[in-house]
Amino acid sequence: MNIRVSHHLLLCATSTKSLCCNPKNGIKSWEKLKRTLQELNLEDPKRAEGIVLRSKVDCLRVCSEGPILLIWPEGTWYHKVTPNLIELIVKEHIIRGEPINEFIFKRMILKE
Ligand code: FES
């Protein structure tokens, strides 16, 4: 099966270390991410731009001011990702292609 992927979102929300956020708050961001992607039909394999993948990861080695969200392929890192910010990021960054600079703390492009 050949599915096109537009973005992959990795969220450190419920880390076992609990260093960058309270997991009770982090899980709300994760649930919001899941709900938002589903509601906006971004997980549809027929989506022309490709599907949006999401992964809940244990730790992205930042460990402060979380939840931390890393978005590929741009290599954009967001911090303090509350449920409200998650929705904004999905709508602005993922759908409209306009990152929210105010909450970005790092950009890291991988070599090809
Ligand atoms: S615990 Fe979130 S980045 Fe390490």
Side-chain angles (χ1 to χ4, degrees):
M1 192 158 61
N2 192 8
I3 295 178
R4 186 179 163 143
V5 175
S6 75
H7 293 85
H8 190 179
L9 281 56
L10 291 82
L11 183 68
C12 167
T14 57
S15 168
T16 50
K17 297 178 190 171
S18 299
L19 291 176
C20 71
C21 74
N22 182 331
K24 288 180 183 168
N25 294 331
I27 193 68
K28 293 177 186 167
S29 294
W30 173 248
E31 294 299 329
K32 181 68 174 185
L33 176 59
K34 286 199 300 187
R35 215 168 36 247
T36 303
L37 295 182
Q38 289 162 1
E39 285 170 2
L40 296 173
N41 218 24
L42 299 176
E43 296 180 323
D44 181 353
K46 294 179 190 143
R47 182 175 181 250
E49 301 89 341
I51 62 170
V52 177
L53 298 175
R54 56 180 162 80
S55 297
K56 185 167 58 161
V57 299
D58 190 62
C59 175
L60 289 164
R61 302 187 180 216
V62 176
C63 305
S64 71
E65 300 192 276
I68 303 296
L69 176 67
L70 169 59
I71 300 181
W72 294 119
E74 296 96 334
T76 306
W77 296 71
Y78 285 95
H79 59 180
K80 302 176 186 168
V81 181
T82 62
N84 285 344
L85 182 56
I86 283 275
E87 184 171 353
L88 199 61
I89 290 170
V90 170
K91 289 180 176 171
E92 296 299 317
H93 184 134
I94 303 298
I95 295 177
R96 294 186 63 210
E98 295 183 10
I100 306 168
N101 294 324
E102 182 184 349
F103 294 96
I104 294 172
F105 68 94
K106 183 159 66 170
R107 294 173 200 265
M108 191 174 79
I109 298 170
L110 292 181
K111 288 183 181 175
E112 289 192 20

